[in-house]
Amino acid sequence: MSAQVVIVGSANVDLVTRVERIPGPGETVTSESFNVFAGGKGLNQAIASRRAGAVTALIAAVGSDDYARVLVDTVRHEGMDDALLRREPGTTGTAFVTTDATGENNIVIVPGANGLLNRLTESERDQVREADVLVCQLEVPNSVVEDAVTTAREAGTTVVLNPTPVRTVPAAILAAVDVLIVNEHEADQLRVEELRVPCVVTTLGSKGATLQIRGERTVRVPARKTIALDTTGAGDTFVGAFAAEIARGVGYAQAATRANVAASLSVEEHGAVPSIPTRQAVDEALGLERVEN
Ligand code: ATP
């Protein structure tokens, strides 16, 4: 059977505008460009897992507004089943992103339908039970994360948690986690070294990543040298690619190595979703490096 990943998480539309200078309170400025992108950590990570070759299901919620269509179309276009996207009355999750000429940005997030994803249905739980790997983040309520991870734990589905946006993770969720994937900032805030999680992967931006299996030494995953154009979505690419690898039965260290290459490729292009590499692109990067070494 093919490697199967289920993601329970957020789906947003990102409304991105570029300005010379971010306006202060009460100020108005004119935008230089405006784009609408599909985004949200759940959707980004699902696309990363799918492009890494895993059969991937996204359990998420969209609203009843016109933006929902952008997300439904994206999910279909990536070869995932949009039947698992719940349609809730009201707004789709929306991120208003303003970026200035120096790359600094301001973001306002409207949770919308993401905030209504409170519990799984019994058929959604079945999806989690049948999967090899479950991935969750914290852009949806803790109640649905707890429901998903405890269902996975009981069924023997491997649980990956990317605890972002960072907040205290309830003990009932942590107890069900197999792999925690954090960036340096989240690692500090959550004091991950004190958490009793079997495996912690810490992403280190341009320095690569580390992997700590409890009771064993830390494994360093060196960065792949690249010219970074836009790091948006690098963390999500890492998480999705890692999940797809472990769903194939690959060990954690090897999965982190490949996820690190996928994420490094994603920073070479603009945007979150457009920059997520395919399995073939990662193979090529690995192949090229082997020739060069
Ligand atoms: P973001 O919020 O920008 O998506 P993050 O803070 O969650 O990212 P990072 O640790 O910054 O996560 O990056 C995730 C992974 O992306 C790194 O482990 C690495 O593999 C890759 N990466 C990020 N920046 C670079 C870079 N400049 N060069 C090479 N690889 C990079």
Side-chain angles (χ1 to χ4, degrees):
M1 211 172 78
S2 358
Q4 282 192 37
V5 175
V6 168
I7 316 261
V8 176
S10 58
N12 285 335
V13 279
D14 294 345
L15 309 184
V16 183
T17 183
R18 206 171 285 274
V19 293
E20 180 61 32
R21 190 176 53 78
I22 292 175
E27 220 187 332
T28 302
V29 298
T30 302
S31 160
E32 293 164 4
S33 69
F34 174 68
N35 289 291
V36 179
F37 298 110
K41 294 206 156 282
L43 180 59
N44 290 347
Q45 294 179 10
I47 292 174
S49 163
R50 179 77 193 112
R51 291 191 190 165
V55 173
T56 305
L58 173 65
I59 298 174
V62 299
S64 53
D65 52 7
D66 290 346
Y67 286 128
R69 169 91 2 237
V70 175
L71 303 183
V72 172
D73 287 351
T74 302
V75 163
R76 278 192 198 145
H77 181 257
E78 295 292 331
M80 293 184 282
D81 186 0
D82 68 291
L84 290 167
L85 283 182
R86 291 193 202 172
R87 273 69 162 180
E88 298 286 354
T91 1
T92 294
T94 309
F96 296 90
V97 184
T98 308
T99 311
D100 76 10
T102 69
E104 199 57 60
N105 60 31
N106 260 359
I107 304 178
V108 176
I109 293 196
V110 180
N114 294 310
L116 302 176
L117 196 65
N118 285 309
R119 308 257 329 149
L120 297 182
T121 63
E122 204 43 44
S123 76
E124 288 167 343
R125 283 190 201 108
D126 283 342
Q127 291 274 341
V128 170
R129 291 183 185 111
E130 283 159 22
D132 299 294
V133 177
L134 166 76
V135 182
C136 295
Q137 324 76 30
L138 301 179
E139 284 185 339
V140 288
N142 281 347
S143 54
V144 78
V145 176
E146 184 173 333
D147 190 350
V149 299
T150 50
T151 302
R153 182 85 185 168
E154 281 162 18
T157 300
T158 302
V159 176
V160 175
L161 178 69
N162 177 218
T164 178
V166 69
R167 62 173 179 257
T168 307
V169 185
I173 294 179
L174 270 183
V177 171
D178 293 295
V179 184
L180 197 68
I181 304 184
V182 287
N183 64 19
E184 278 178 294
H185 169 70
E186 292 150 1
D188 282 349
Q189 282 200 289
L190 293 172
R191 301 191 187 186
V192 285
E193 66 290 344
E194 293 170 17
L195 303 177
R196 297 179 61 78
V197 173
C199 176
V200 176
V201 178
T202 308
T203 62
L204 306 170
S206 61
K207 299 192 293 301
T210 60
L211 181 130
Q212 172 76 65
I213 295 176
R214 206 159 86 219
E216 293 182 20
R217 69 187 174 86
T218 302
V219 177
R220 287 258 327 134
V221 182
R224 174 178 164 270
K225 283 216 177 347
T226 187
I227 296 170
L229 265 189
D230 177 3
T231 63
T232 320
D236 291 339
T237 301
F238 189 108
V239 173
F242 181 88
E245 286 313 294
I246 62 171
R248 297 163 82 91
V250 167
Y252 291 160
Q254 208 184 321
T257 301
R258 194 173 171 103
N260 180 58
V261 173
S264 75
L265 287 170
S266 79
V267 307
E268 292 174 358
E269 283 176 43
H270 284 291
V273 170
S275 70
I276 297 171
T278 59
R279 182 159 201 90
Q280 193 188 342
V282 176
D283 280 343
E284 282 166 14
L286 285 164
L288 278 177
E289 279 173 2
R290 249 178 262 141
V291 172
E292 280 166 12
N293 288 340

